[in-house]
Amino acid sequence: MTDSAEFQSVVELRRYTLHPGRRDELIELFEREFVETQETCGMRLFGQFREAGEPDKFVWLRGFRDMETRRAALESFYFGPVWREHGPAANETMIDASDVLLLRPSGPGFPAPDGAPDSRVVVTICHPTGPVKEFSEYFADTVAPALREAGVVTFGHFETEPAENTFPRLPVRENETVFVWFAKAGEEHREILGRTGAGLADRLERPWRRLELTPTPRSRLR
Protein backbone atom coordinates (compact mmCIF):
# COMPACT_ATOMS: atom_id res chain seq x y z
CA MET A 1 0.00 0.00 0.00
CA THR A 2 1.20 3.52 -0.73
CA ASP A 3 0.90 6.42 1.70
CA SER A 4 -2.16 8.56 1.11
CA ALA A 5 -3.41 11.83 2.55
CA GLU A 6 -6.81 10.26 3.15
CA PHE A 7 -5.37 8.24 6.05
CA GLN A 8 -4.15 11.44 7.71
CA SER A 9 -7.65 12.81 8.40
CA VAL A 10 -7.42 11.28 11.89
CA VAL A 11 -4.03 10.38 13.38
CA GLU A 12 -3.13 8.77 16.70
CA LEU A 13 0.19 9.66 18.31
CA ARG A 14 0.71 6.79 20.75
CA ARG A 15 3.47 6.78 23.42
CA TYR A 16 3.77 3.64 25.55
CA THR A 17 5.65 3.10 28.79
CA LEU A 18 7.09 -0.42 28.86
CA HIS A 19 8.54 -2.70 31.49
CA PRO A 20 12.31 -2.19 31.72
CA GLY A 21 14.28 -4.01 29.03
CA ARG A 22 11.29 -5.13 26.96
CA ARG A 23 11.14 -2.52 24.20
CA ASP A 24 13.00 -4.56 21.59
CA GLU A 25 10.77 -7.53 22.39
CA LEU A 26 7.66 -5.46 21.68
CA ILE A 27 9.12 -3.95 18.49
CA GLU A 28 9.99 -7.38 17.10
CA LEU A 29 6.49 -8.69 17.86
CA PHE A 30 4.81 -5.53 16.62
CA GLU A 31 6.61 -5.41 13.29
CA ARG A 32 6.19 -9.12 12.68
CA GLU A 33 2.49 -9.42 13.54
CA PHE A 34 0.76 -6.02 13.68
CA VAL A 35 1.75 -3.94 10.64
CA GLU A 36 0.03 -5.63 7.70
CA THR A 37 -2.79 -6.94 9.88
CA GLN A 38 -3.79 -3.48 11.07
CA GLU A 39 -3.60 -2.05 7.56
CA THR A 40 -5.78 -4.88 6.25
CA CYS A 41 -8.38 -3.75 8.79
CA GLY A 42 -8.52 -0.25 7.29
CA MET A 43 -5.85 1.93 8.89
CA ARG A 44 -2.36 3.12 7.95
CA LEU A 45 0.75 2.79 10.11
CA PHE A 46 2.99 5.79 9.51
CA GLY A 47 5.79 5.11 11.95
CA GLN A 48 7.21 3.14 14.86
CA PHE A 49 10.00 4.62 16.99
CA ARG A 50 12.38 4.28 19.89
CA GLU A 51 12.46 7.45 21.95
CA ALA A 52 15.99 8.78 22.50
CA GLY A 53 17.01 8.95 26.14
CA GLU A 54 13.92 6.96 27.20
CA PRO A 55 14.81 3.26 26.95
CA ASP A 56 11.36 2.13 28.06
CA LYS A 57 9.29 4.28 25.69
CA PHE A 58 7.80 3.10 22.39
CA VAL A 59 6.09 5.67 20.14
CA TRP A 60 4.02 4.97 17.05
CA LEU A 61 1.60 6.63 14.63
CA ARG A 62 -1.43 5.32 12.81
CA GLY A 63 -4.01 7.07 10.66
CA PHE A 64 -7.61 6.70 9.55
CA ARG A 65 -9.93 8.15 6.91
CA ASP A 66 -12.36 9.55 9.53
CA MET A 67 -13.68 8.85 13.02
CA GLU A 68 -16.33 6.36 11.93
CA THR A 69 -13.91 4.25 9.88
CA ARG A 70 -11.51 4.48 12.83
CA ARG A 71 -14.14 2.76 14.97
CA ALA A 72 -14.73 0.05 12.38
CA ALA A 73 -11.01 -0.53 11.78
CA LEU A 74 -10.16 -0.78 15.47
CA GLU A 75 -13.06 -3.13 16.14
CA SER A 76 -11.93 -5.32 13.25
CA PHE A 77 -8.37 -5.53 14.54
CA TYR A 78 -8.82 -5.72 18.31
CA PHE A 79 -11.69 -8.21 18.09
CA GLY A 80 -9.88 -10.22 15.41
CA PRO A 81 -7.71 -13.34 15.47
CA VAL A 82 -4.26 -11.72 15.29
CA TRP A 83 -4.77 -9.54 18.37
CA ARG A 84 -6.51 -12.40 20.13
CA GLU A 85 -3.40 -14.54 19.58
CA HIS A 86 -0.60 -12.01 20.06
CA GLY A 87 -2.21 -9.19 22.04
CA PRO A 88 -1.60 -10.75 25.47
CA ALA A 89 2.14 -11.00 24.76
CA ALA A 90 2.21 -7.37 23.63
CA ASN A 91 0.28 -6.22 26.70
CA GLU A 92 2.71 -8.04 28.97
CA THR A 93 5.50 -5.69 27.83
CA MET A 94 3.50 -2.57 28.75
CA ILE A 95 3.05 -0.58 31.94
CA ASP A 96 0.89 2.13 30.39
CA ALA A 97 -0.63 2.60 26.92
CA SER A 98 -2.95 5.55 27.61
CA ASP A 99 -0.66 8.42 26.55
CA VAL A 100 -2.43 8.91 23.22
CA LEU A 101 -3.18 12.11 21.31
CA LEU A 102 -6.02 12.02 18.80
CA LEU A 103 -5.20 14.51 16.05
CA ARG A 104 -6.44 16.01 12.78
CA PRO A 105 -4.53 17.93 10.09
CA SER A 106 -3.67 21.59 10.69
CA GLY A 107 -1.28 22.10 7.79
CA PRO A 108 1.19 19.95 5.82
CA GLY A 109 0.91 16.20 6.25
CA PHE A 110 3.41 13.38 6.38
CA PRO A 111 5.72 13.07 3.37
CA ALA A 112 6.38 9.94 1.37
CA PRO A 113 9.10 7.74 2.91
CA ASP A 114 12.52 9.09 1.96
CA GLY A 115 14.64 9.28 5.10
CA ALA A 116 18.01 7.66 5.69
CA PRO A 117 18.18 4.55 7.89
CA ASP A 118 19.87 6.52 10.68
CA SER A 119 17.56 9.53 10.50
CA ARG A 120 15.76 10.99 13.49
CA VAL A 121 12.27 12.45 13.70
CA VAL A 122 11.56 15.23 16.19
CA VAL A 123 8.02 15.75 17.47
CA THR A 124 7.11 18.98 19.27
CA ILE A 125 3.87 19.18 21.27
CA CYS A 126 2.41 22.57 22.21
CA HIS A 127 -0.56 23.54 24.41
CA PRO A 128 -1.77 26.91 23.07
CA THR A 129 -3.35 29.43 25.43
CA GLY A 130 -5.78 30.63 22.75
CA PRO A 131 -7.67 29.01 19.88
CA VAL A 132 -5.60 26.31 18.23
CA LYS A 133 -6.47 27.63 14.74
CA GLU A 134 -4.88 30.99 15.58
CA PHE A 135 -1.80 29.25 16.94
CA SER A 136 -1.58 27.09 13.82
CA GLU A 137 -1.71 30.16 11.60
CA TYR A 138 0.97 31.90 13.67
CA PHE A 139 3.18 28.82 13.45
CA ALA A 140 2.73 28.49 9.67
CA ASP A 141 3.28 32.20 9.00
CA THR A 142 6.08 32.96 11.46
CA VAL A 143 7.74 30.01 13.15
CA ALA A 144 7.91 27.44 10.33
CA PRO A 145 9.58 29.90 7.88
CA ALA A 146 12.13 30.90 10.53
CA LEU A 147 12.92 27.27 11.27
CA ARG A 148 13.21 26.50 7.56
CA GLU A 149 15.61 29.39 7.07
CA ALA A 150 17.69 28.00 9.93
CA GLY A 151 17.80 24.56 8.35
CA VAL A 152 14.89 22.76 10.03
CA VAL A 153 12.06 21.73 7.70
CA THR A 154 8.78 21.04 9.49
CA PHE A 155 6.02 18.75 8.26
CA GLY A 156 3.05 16.92 9.69
CA HIS A 157 1.23 19.85 11.36
CA PHE A 158 -1.66 18.53 13.46
CA GLU A 159 -4.09 19.70 16.14
CA THR A 160 -6.42 17.97 18.59
CA GLU A 161 -9.33 16.08 17.05
CA PRO A 162 -12.18 17.16 19.38
CA ALA A 163 -14.65 14.45 18.37
CA GLU A 164 -15.71 11.89 20.93
CA ASN A 165 -13.49 8.81 21.04
CA THR A 166 -15.30 6.27 18.88
CA PHE A 167 -13.43 3.31 20.38
CA PRO A 168 -13.44 3.92 24.17
CA ARG A 169 -11.76 0.59 24.83
CA LEU A 170 -8.57 2.47 23.92
CA PRO A 171 -8.40 5.73 25.93
CA VAL A 172 -7.04 8.99 24.55
CA ARG A 173 -5.98 12.17 26.33
CA GLU A 174 -9.11 14.26 26.65
CA ASN A 175 -9.86 17.78 27.89
CA GLU A 176 -6.70 19.27 26.41
CA THR A 177 -5.94 21.00 23.13
CA VAL A 178 -2.58 20.59 21.42
CA PHE A 179 -0.74 21.61 18.28
CA VAL A 180 1.87 19.08 17.13
CA TRP A 181 4.51 19.33 14.45
CA PHE A 182 7.15 16.98 13.11
CA ALA A 183 10.63 17.75 11.78
CA LYS A 184 13.66 15.95 10.46
CA ALA A 185 16.58 17.39 12.35
CA GLY A 186 19.85 16.62 14.03
CA GLU A 187 21.23 17.65 17.38
CA GLU A 188 21.09 21.34 16.41
CA HIS A 189 17.28 21.30 16.47
CA ARG A 190 17.02 22.27 20.15
CA GLU A 191 19.25 25.33 19.75
CA ILE A 192 17.50 26.46 16.56
CA LEU A 193 14.06 26.08 18.12
CA GLY A 194 15.21 28.06 21.13
CA ARG A 195 16.25 30.95 18.86
CA THR A 196 13.49 30.98 16.30
CA GLY A 197 10.62 29.78 18.46
CA ALA A 198 11.05 32.28 21.29
CA GLY A 199 7.72 33.91 20.45
CA LEU A 200 5.93 30.63 21.05
CA ALA A 201 6.35 30.82 24.81
CA ASP A 202 3.88 33.71 25.16
CA ARG A 203 1.27 31.66 23.33
CA LEU A 204 1.62 28.48 25.39
CA GLU A 205 0.10 27.52 28.70
CA ARG A 206 3.10 25.30 29.48
CA PRO A 207 6.55 24.66 27.93
CA TRP A 208 6.51 22.69 24.70
CA ARG A 209 7.32 18.99 24.86
CA ARG A 210 9.87 17.56 22.46
CA LEU A 211 10.26 13.87 21.55
CA GLU A 212 13.36 12.71 19.68
CA LEU A 213 12.47 9.53 17.84
CA THR A 214 14.60 6.95 16.05
CA PRO A 215 12.66 4.93 13.44
CA THR A 216 12.42 1.18 13.81
CA PRO A 217 13.28 -0.99 10.77
CA ARG A 218 9.74 -0.99 9.34
CA SER A 219 8.81 2.62 10.07
CA ARG A 220 7.58 4.47 6.97
CA LEU A 221 8.30 7.85 8.50
CA ARG A 222 12.01 8.39 8.99
Side-chain angles (χ1 to χ4, degrees):
M1 300 174 70
T2 59
D3 286 306
S4 172
E6 65 180 322
F7 285 97
Q8 299 182 39
S9 297
V10 177
V11 170
E12 294 177 352
L13 172 57
R14 311 187 65 87
R15 184 173 184 253
Y16 293 175
T17 301
L18 309 179
H19 290 287
R22 303 195 69 178
R23 182 166 64 183
D24 286 348
E25 175 186 346
L26 176 61
I27 290 172
E28 191 280 329
L29 173 63
F30 190 102
E31 299 204 328
R32 186 183 73 238
E33 301 293 345
F34 299 153
V35 175
E36 287 84 3
T37 49
Q38 289 190 76
E39 296 197 336
T40 298
C41 291
M43 58 193 100
R44 179 64 48 82
L45 272 66
F46 289 107
Q48 302 84 243
F49 309 92
R50 296 175 173 88
E51 184 175 339
E54 297 285 352
D56 302 318
K57 298 292 186 183
F58 173 63
V59 178
W60 63 293
L61 295 154
R62 65 181 169 190
F64 309 85
R65 291 186 173 92
D66 53 46
M67 290 297 291
E68 180 55 29
T69 56
R70 172 181 179 268
R71 179 197 60 77
L74 295 179
E75 286 181 352
S76 178
F77 177 71
Y78 287 104
F79 298 147
V82 174
W83 184 254
R84 188 178 305 117
E85 179 178 357
H86 300 286
N91 285 335
E92 285 178 2
T93 70
M94 304 175 194
I95 296 174
D96 178 67
S98 65
D99 186 356
V100 179
L101 291 172
L102 191 60
L103 306 170
R104 64 184 182 186
S106 190
F110 297 135
D114 65 353
D118 59 349
S119 62
R120 180 168 291 184
V121 174
V122 179
V123 184
T124 306
I125 302 168
C126 295
H127 289 76
T129 55
V132 69
K133 284 298 183 187
E134 292 182 6
F135 184 88
S136 175
E137 291 172 0
Y138 168 77
F139 183 87
D141 294 341
T142 304
V143 180
L147 289 171
R148 185 166 56 249
E149 185 176 345
V152 175
V153 178
T154 67
F155 61 91
H157 300 180
F158 293 90
E159 64 186 57
T160 296
E161 167 55 68
E164 182 179 357
N165 183 7
T166 51
F167 193 72
R169 173 176 170 175
L170 295 182
V172 300
R173 285 160 56 185
E174 299 178 312
N175 303 316
E176 60 181 294
T177 300
V178 300
F179 176 82
V180 179
W181 83 85
F182 295 74
K184 296 179 182 179
E187 295 300 323
E188 75 281 1
H189 183 278
R190 187 188 305 273
E191 179 185 352
I192 294 172
L193 182 58
R195 294 198 313 267
T196 61
L200 288 177
D202 295 336
R203 294 172 169 82
L204 300 178
E205 63 181 33
R206 69 185 80 166
W208 61 65
R209 187 180 186 186
R210 181 173 177 271
L211 309 179
E212 296 184 15
L213 307 178
T214 301
T216 61
R218 298 199 61 193
S219 177
R220 281 191 172 97
L221 190 60
R222 57 179 58 249

